[in-house]
PDB file of all heavy atoms in Angstrom:
ATOM      1  N   VAL G 232      26.548 -12.764  43.229  1.00 47.00           N
ATOM      2  CA  VAL G 232      26.951 -13.540  42.060  1.00 47.00           C
ATOM      3  C   VAL G 232      27.036 -15.013  42.422  1.00 47.00           C
ATOM      4  O   VAL G 232      27.632 -15.386  43.422  1.00 47.00           O
ATOM      5  CB  VAL G 232      28.318 -13.061  41.541  1.00 47.00           C
ATOM      6  CG1 VAL G 232      28.811 -13.974  40.424  1.00 47.00           C
ATOM      7  CG2 VAL G 232      28.218 -11.643  41.062  1.00 47.00           C
ATOM      8  N   PRO G 234      28.434 -18.596  41.791  1.00 64.00           N
ATOM      9  CA  PRO G 234      29.611 -19.172  41.148  1.00 64.00           C
ATOM     10  C   PRO G 234      29.265 -20.353  40.253  1.00 64.00           C
ATOM     11  O   PRO G 234      30.148 -20.992  39.716  1.00 64.00           O
ATOM     12  CB  PRO G 234      30.471 -19.604  42.338  1.00 64.00           C
ATOM     13  CG  PRO G 234      29.523 -19.806  43.454  1.00 64.00           C
ATOM     14  CD  PRO G 234      28.314 -18.987  43.195  1.00 64.00           C
ATOM     15  N   VAL G 261       9.637 -25.476   2.206  1.00 90.00           N
ATOM     16  CA  VAL G 261       8.331 -26.056   1.899  1.00 90.00           C
ATOM     17  C   VAL G 261       7.367 -24.974   1.422  1.00 90.00           C
ATOM     18  O   VAL G 261       6.643 -25.147   0.441  1.00 90.00           O
ATOM     19  CB  VAL G 261       7.760 -26.775   3.142  1.00 90.00           C
ATOM     20  CG1 VAL G 261       6.335 -27.219   2.891  1.00 90.00           C
ATOM     21  CG2 VAL G 261       8.633 -27.969   3.499  1.00 90.00           C
ATOM     22  N   PRO G 294      34.439 -20.847  31.390  1.00 92.00           N
ATOM     23  CA  PRO G 294      33.403 -21.693  31.994  1.00 92.00           C
ATOM     24  C   PRO G 294      32.358 -20.922  32.798  1.00 92.00           C
ATOM     25  O   PRO G 294      31.253 -21.400  32.967  1.00 92.00           O
ATOM     26  CB  PRO G 294      34.199 -22.629  32.902  1.00 92.00           C
ATOM     27  CG  PRO G 294      35.508 -21.973  33.101  1.00 92.00           C
ATOM     28  CD  PRO G 294      35.779 -21.172  31.880  1.00 92.00           C
ATOM     29  N   VAL G 323      15.032 -16.993  -6.918  1.00 88.00           N
ATOM     30  CA  VAL G 323      15.257 -18.104  -7.848  1.00 88.00           C
ATOM     31  C   VAL G 323      13.955 -18.447  -8.568  1.00 88.00           C
ATOM     32  O   VAL G 323      13.921 -18.630  -9.784  1.00 88.00           O
ATOM     33  CB  VAL G 323      15.798 -19.335  -7.088  1.00 88.00           C
ATOM     34  CG1 VAL G 323      15.771 -20.568  -7.973  1.00 88.00           C
ATOM     35  CG2 VAL G 323      17.199 -19.068  -6.581  1.00 88.00           C
ATOM     36  N   ALA G 350      34.609 -18.454  14.046  1.00 96.00           N
ATOM     37  CA  ALA G 350      36.069 -18.539  14.162  1.00 96.00           C
ATOM     38  C   ALA G 350      36.616 -17.317  14.892  1.00 96.00           C
ATOM     39  O   ALA G 350      37.483 -17.428  15.769  1.00 96.00           O
ATOM     40  CB  ALA G 350      36.686 -18.651  12.770  1.00 96.00           C
ATOM     41  N   ILE G 353      35.828 -17.722  18.516  1.00 96.00           N
ATOM     42  CA  ILE G 353      36.724 -18.661  19.179  1.00 96.00           C
ATOM     43  C   ILE G 353      38.105 -18.042  19.365  1.00 96.00           C
ATOM     44  O   ILE G 353      38.700 -18.108  20.457  1.00 96.00           O
ATOM     45  CB  ILE G 353      36.816 -19.965  18.356  1.00 96.00           C
ATOM     46  CG1 ILE G 353      35.460 -20.693  18.441  1.00 96.00           C
ATOM     47  CG2 ILE G 353      37.942 -20.861  18.846  1.00 96.00           C
ATOM     48  CD1 ILE G 353      35.301 -21.794  17.426  1.00 96.00           C
ATOM     49  N   ARG G 363      41.496  -7.531  30.533  1.00 89.00           N
ATOM     50  CA  ARG G 363      42.307  -6.384  30.971  1.00 89.00           C
ATOM     51  C   ARG G 363      43.575  -6.229  30.133  1.00 89.00           C
ATOM     52  O   ARG G 363      44.172  -5.169  30.113  1.00 89.00           O
ATOM     53  CB  ARG G 363      42.649  -6.516  32.464  1.00 89.00           C
ATOM     54  CG  ARG G 363      41.442  -6.225  33.335  1.00 89.00           C
ATOM     55  CD  ARG G 363      41.671  -6.621  34.768  1.00 89.00           C
ATOM     56  NE  ARG G 363      41.894  -8.069  34.888  1.00 89.00           N
ATOM     57  CZ  ARG G 363      42.030  -8.694  36.057  1.00 89.00           C
ATOM     58  NH1 ARG G 363      41.969  -8.023  37.178  1.00 89.00           N
ATOM     59  NH2 ARG G 363      42.229  -9.990  36.089  1.00 89.00           N
ATOM     60  N   LEU G 379      40.736   2.392  10.075  1.00 88.00           N
ATOM     61  CA  LEU G 379      39.714   1.560   9.434  1.00 88.00           C
ATOM     62  C   LEU G 379      38.522   2.409   8.987  1.00 88.00           C
ATOM     63  O   LEU G 379      37.977   2.219   7.909  1.00 88.00           O
ATOM     64  CB  LEU G 379      39.251   0.464  10.398  1.00 88.00           C
ATOM     65  CG  LEU G 379      40.148  -0.758  10.504  1.00 88.00           C
ATOM     66  CD1 LEU G 379      39.593  -1.728  11.545  1.00 88.00           C
ATOM     67  CD2 LEU G 379      40.262  -1.465   9.162  1.00 88.00           C
ATOM     68  N   LEU G 381      38.541   5.434   8.107  1.00 83.00           N
ATOM     69  CA  LEU G 381      38.881   6.284   6.966  1.00 83.00           C
ATOM     70  C   LEU G 381      39.117   5.466   5.691  1.00 83.00           C
ATOM     71  O   LEU G 381      39.109   6.026   4.595  1.00 83.00           O
ATOM     72  CB  LEU G 381      40.129   7.111   7.277  1.00 83.00           C
ATOM     73  CG  LEU G 381      39.961   8.125   8.414  1.00 83.00           C
ATOM     74  CD1 LEU G 381      41.274   8.859   8.665  1.00 83.00           C
ATOM     75  CD2 LEU G 381      38.859   9.125   8.102  1.00 83.00           C
ATOM     76  N   GLY G 387      40.325   4.101  -4.955  1.00 73.00           N
ATOM     77  CA  GLY G 387      40.775   2.822  -5.484  1.00 73.00           C
ATOM     78  C   GLY G 387      40.191   1.642  -4.758  1.00 73.00           C
ATOM     79  O   GLY G 387      39.764   0.682  -5.379  1.00 73.00           O
ATOM     80  N   GLN G 396      29.486   5.776   1.408  1.00 72.00           N
ATOM     81  CA  GLN G 396      30.817   5.288   1.063  1.00 72.00           C
ATOM     82  C   GLN G 396      31.431   4.628   2.289  1.00 72.00           C
ATOM     83  O   GLN G 396      32.257   5.212   2.980  1.00 72.00           O
ATOM     84  CB  GLN G 396      31.690   6.471   0.592  1.00 72.00           C
ATOM     85  CG  GLN G 396      33.016   6.014   0.034  1.00 72.00           C
ATOM     86  CD  GLN G 396      33.503   6.945  -1.058  1.00 72.00           C
ATOM     87  OE1 GLN G 396      32.912   7.975  -1.314  1.00 72.00           O
ATOM     88  NE2 GLN G 396      34.585   6.580  -1.709  1.00 72.00           N
ATOM     89  N   GLY G 422      39.653   2.181  27.660  1.00 91.00           N
ATOM     90  CA  GLY G 422      41.005   2.390  28.191  1.00 91.00           C
ATOM     91  C   GLY G 422      41.255   3.856  28.514  1.00 91.00           C
ATOM     92  O   GLY G 422      41.842   4.202  29.545  1.00 91.00           O
ATOM     93  N   LEU G 433      35.315  16.059  37.164  1.00 76.00           N
ATOM     94  CA  LEU G 433      35.369  17.318  37.897  1.00 76.00           C
ATOM     95  C   LEU G 433      34.347  18.286  37.330  1.00 76.00           C
ATOM     96  O   LEU G 433      34.305  18.522  36.127  1.00 76.00           O
ATOM     97  CB  LEU G 433      36.756  17.941  37.796  1.00 76.00           C
ATOM     98  CG  LEU G 433      37.805  17.328  38.715  1.00 76.00           C
ATOM     99  CD1 LEU G 433      39.145  17.993  38.488  1.00 76.00           C
ATOM    100  CD2 LEU G 433      37.382  17.488  40.168  1.00 76.00           C
ATOM    101  N   GLY G 435      32.571  21.726  36.414  1.00 71.00           N
ATOM    102  CA  GLY G 435      32.921  23.106  36.120  1.00 71.00           C
ATOM    103  C   GLY G 435      31.840  24.002  36.650  1.00 71.00           C
ATOM    104  O   GLY G 435      31.696  24.198  37.858  1.00 71.00           O
ATOM    105  N   TRP G 456      32.793  14.058  18.460  1.00 77.00           N
ATOM    106  CA  TRP G 456      31.726  14.713  17.714  1.00 77.00           C
ATOM    107  C   TRP G 456      32.178  15.018  16.285  1.00 77.00           C
ATOM    108  O   TRP G 456      31.461  14.780  15.324  1.00 77.00           O
ATOM    109  CB  TRP G 456      31.326  15.990  18.458  1.00 77.00           C
ATOM    110  CG  TRP G 456      30.095  16.650  17.922  1.00 77.00           C
ATOM    111  CD1 TRP G 456      28.836  16.153  17.941  1.00 77.00           C
ATOM    112  CD2 TRP G 456      30.020  17.929  17.298  1.00 77.00           C
ATOM    113  NE1 TRP G 456      27.972  17.050  17.373  1.00 77.00           N
ATOM    114  CE2 TRP G 456      28.664  18.144  16.970  1.00 77.00           C
ATOM    115  CE3 TRP G 456      30.959  18.920  16.997  1.00 77.00           C
ATOM    116  CZ2 TRP G 456      28.231  19.305  16.352  1.00 77.00           C
ATOM    117  CZ3 TRP G 456      30.519  20.073  16.387  1.00 77.00           C
ATOM    118  CH2 TRP G 456      29.171  20.277  16.061  1.00 77.00           C
ATOM    119  N   LEU G 474      25.844   5.902  15.955  1.00 89.00           N
ATOM    120  CA  LEU G 474      26.309   4.799  16.791  1.00 89.00           C
ATOM    121  C   LEU G 474      27.572   5.191  17.570  1.00 89.00           C
ATOM    122  O   LEU G 474      27.638   5.032  18.785  1.00 89.00           O
ATOM    123  CB  LEU G 474      26.570   3.582  15.904  1.00 89.00           C
ATOM    124  CG  LEU G 474      26.923   2.276  16.608  1.00 89.00           C
ATOM    125  CD1 LEU G 474      25.767   1.830  17.484  1.00 89.00           C
ATOM    126  CD2 LEU G 474      27.244   1.205  15.584  1.00 89.00           C
ATOM    127  N   PHE G 475      28.596   5.727  16.864  1.00 87.00           N
ATOM    128  CA  PHE G 475      29.846   6.067  17.531  1.00 87.00           C
ATOM    129  C   PHE G 475      29.666   7.147  18.575  1.00 87.00           C
ATOM    130  O   PHE G 475      30.126   7.033  19.702  1.00 87.00           O
ATOM    131  CB  PHE G 475      30.898   6.521  16.506  1.00 87.00           C
ATOM    132  CG  PHE G 475      31.433   5.375  15.717  1.00 87.00           C
ATOM    133  CD1 PHE G 475      31.863   5.554  14.420  1.00 87.00           C
ATOM    134  CD2 PHE G 475      31.493   4.108  16.265  1.00 87.00           C
ATOM    135  CE1 PHE G 475      32.337   4.488  13.692  1.00 87.00           C
ATOM    136  CE2 PHE G 475      31.971   3.041  15.551  1.00 87.00           C
ATOM    137  CZ  PHE G 475      32.396   3.235  14.251  1.00 87.00           C
ATOM    138  N   ARG G 489      28.526  11.756  35.604  1.00 85.00           N
ATOM    139  CA  ARG G 489      28.076  13.141  35.524  1.00 85.00           C
ATOM    140  C   ARG G 489      27.006  13.282  34.441  1.00 85.00           C
ATOM    141  O   ARG G 489      27.321  13.164  33.257  1.00 85.00           O
ATOM    142  CB  ARG G 489      29.239  14.071  35.152  1.00 85.00           C
ATOM    143  CG  ARG G 489      30.266  14.205  36.213  1.00 85.00           C
ATOM    144  CD  ARG G 489      30.026  15.476  37.001  1.00 85.00           C
ATOM    145  NE  ARG G 489      30.854  15.432  38.185  1.00 85.00           N
ATOM    146  CZ  ARG G 489      30.353  15.534  39.426  1.00 85.00           C
ATOM    147  NH1 ARG G 489      29.060  15.713  39.598  1.00 85.00           N
ATOM    148  NH2 ARG G 489      31.140  15.476  40.465  1.00 85.00           N
ATOM    149  N   TYR G 508      20.254  19.211   8.852  1.00 83.00           N
ATOM    150  CA  TYR G 508      18.965  19.305   8.173  1.00 83.00           C
ATOM    151  C   TYR G 508      18.790  20.691   7.550  1.00 83.00           C
ATOM    152  O   TYR G 508      18.392  20.827   6.394  1.00 83.00           O
ATOM    153  CB  TYR G 508      17.842  19.027   9.166  1.00 83.00           C
ATOM    154  CG  TYR G 508      16.480  19.024   8.538  1.00 83.00           C
ATOM    155  CD1 TYR G 508      16.118  18.017   7.643  1.00 83.00           C
ATOM    156  CD2 TYR G 508      15.554  20.018   8.813  1.00 83.00           C
ATOM    157  CE1 TYR G 508      14.878  18.011   7.044  1.00 83.00           C
ATOM    158  CE2 TYR G 508      14.301  20.025   8.219  1.00 83.00           C
ATOM    159  CZ  TYR G 508      13.973  19.019   7.335  1.00 83.00           C
ATOM    160  OH  TYR G 508      12.742  19.012   6.739  1.00 83.00           O
ATOM    161  N   ALA G 541      10.859   7.735  -0.240  1.00 86.00           N
ATOM    162  CA  ALA G 541      10.038   7.044   0.754  1.00 86.00           C
ATOM    163  C   ALA G 541       9.581   5.667   0.283  1.00 86.00           C
ATOM    164  O   ALA G 541       8.938   4.956   1.031  1.00 86.00           O
ATOM    165  CB  ALA G 541       8.823   7.895   1.114  1.00 86.00           C
ATOM    166  N   ALA G 552       2.171  -4.124   8.048  1.00 93.00           N
ATOM    167  CA  ALA G 552       0.703  -4.114   8.135  1.00 93.00           C
ATOM    168  C   ALA G 552       0.133  -5.435   7.630  1.00 93.00           C
ATOM    169  O   ALA G 552      -0.794  -5.990   8.208  1.00 93.00           O
ATOM    170  CB  ALA G 552       0.141  -2.951   7.320  1.00 93.00           C
ATOM    171  N   LEU G 568       9.097  -7.395  -2.077  1.00 87.00           N
ATOM    172  CA  LEU G 568       8.642  -6.074  -2.509  1.00 87.00           C
ATOM    173  C   LEU G 568       9.421  -4.969  -1.811  1.00 87.00           C
ATOM    174  O   LEU G 568       9.403  -3.824  -2.254  1.00 87.00           O
ATOM    175  CB  LEU G 568       7.152  -5.904  -2.217  1.00 87.00           C
ATOM    176  CG  LEU G 568       6.207  -6.775  -3.037  1.00 87.00           C
ATOM    177  CD1 LEU G 568       4.780  -6.637  -2.537  1.00 87.00           C
ATOM    178  CD2 LEU G 568       6.279  -6.387  -4.505  1.00 87.00           C
ATOM    179  N   VAL G 569      10.072  -5.292  -0.687  1.00 87.00           N
ATOM    180  CA  VAL G 569      10.858  -4.290   0.028  1.00 87.00           C
ATOM    181  C   VAL G 569      12.290  -4.328  -0.504  1.00 87.00           C
ATOM    182  O   VAL G 569      12.955  -5.351  -0.397  1.00 87.00           O
ATOM    183  CB  VAL G 569      10.875  -4.574   1.540  1.00 87.00           C
ATOM    184  CG1 VAL G 569      11.581  -3.452   2.273  1.00 87.00           C
ATOM    185  CG2 VAL G 569       9.477  -4.761   2.067  1.00 87.00           C
ATOM    186  N   TRP G 663      30.016 -11.189  16.236  1.00 96.00           N
ATOM    187  CA  TRP G 663      30.431 -12.415  16.929  1.00 96.00           C
ATOM    188  C   TRP G 663      31.636 -12.119  17.820  1.00 96.00           C
ATOM    189  O   TRP G 663      31.720 -12.602  18.955  1.00 96.00           O
ATOM    190  CB  TRP G 663      30.789 -13.519  15.932  1.00 96.00           C
ATOM    191  CG  TRP G 663      29.629 -14.395  15.528  1.00 96.00           C
ATOM    192  CD1 TRP G 663      28.922 -14.310  14.389  1.00 96.00           C
ATOM    193  CD2 TRP G 663      29.080 -15.474  16.273  1.00 96.00           C
ATOM    194  NE1 TRP G 663      27.938 -15.272  14.365  1.00 96.00           N
ATOM    195  CE2 TRP G 663      28.019 -16.018  15.519  1.00 96.00           C
ATOM    196  CE3 TRP G 663      29.360 -16.055  17.521  1.00 96.00           C
ATOM    197  CZ2 TRP G 663      27.238 -17.092  15.939  1.00 96.00           C
ATOM    198  CZ3 TRP G 663      28.589 -17.133  17.945  1.00 96.00           C
ATOM    199  CH2 TRP G 663      27.541 -17.630  17.155  1.00 96.00           C
ATOM    200  N   PRO G 685      39.107 -19.713  53.740  1.00 54.00           N
ATOM    201  CA  PRO G 685      39.453 -21.117  53.942  1.00 54.00           C
ATOM    202  C   PRO G 685      38.247 -22.026  53.739  1.00 54.00           C
ATOM    203  O   PRO G 685      37.119 -21.589  53.743  1.00 54.00           O
ATOM    204  CB  PRO G 685      39.900 -21.160  55.400  1.00 54.00           C
ATOM    205  CG  PRO G 685      40.194 -19.774  55.783  1.00 54.00           C
ATOM    206  CD  PRO G 685      39.457 -18.882  54.875  1.00 54.00           C
ATOM    207  N   PRO G 687      35.122 -24.210  53.720  1.00 51.00           N
ATOM    208  CA  PRO G 687      33.945 -23.926  54.534  1.00 51.00           C
ATOM    209  C   PRO G 687      33.792 -24.902  55.704  1.00 51.00           C
ATOM    210  O   PRO G 687      33.993 -26.098  55.549  1.00 51.00           O
ATOM    211  CB  PRO G 687      32.785 -24.084  53.543  1.00 51.00           C
ATOM    212  CG  PRO G 687      33.341 -24.847  52.416  1.00 51.00           C
ATOM    213  CD  PRO G 687      34.803 -24.616  52.373  1.00 51.00           C
TER     214      PRO G 687
END
Side-chain angles (χ1 to χ4, degrees):
Chain G
V232 174
V261 173
V323 169
I353 291 166
R363 286 168 297 185
L379 279 177
L381 295 178
Q396 188 148 6
L433 281 178
W456 189 66
L474 186 63
F475 286 150
R489 291 262 168 237
Y508 183 68
L568 292 173
V569 185
W663 271 101

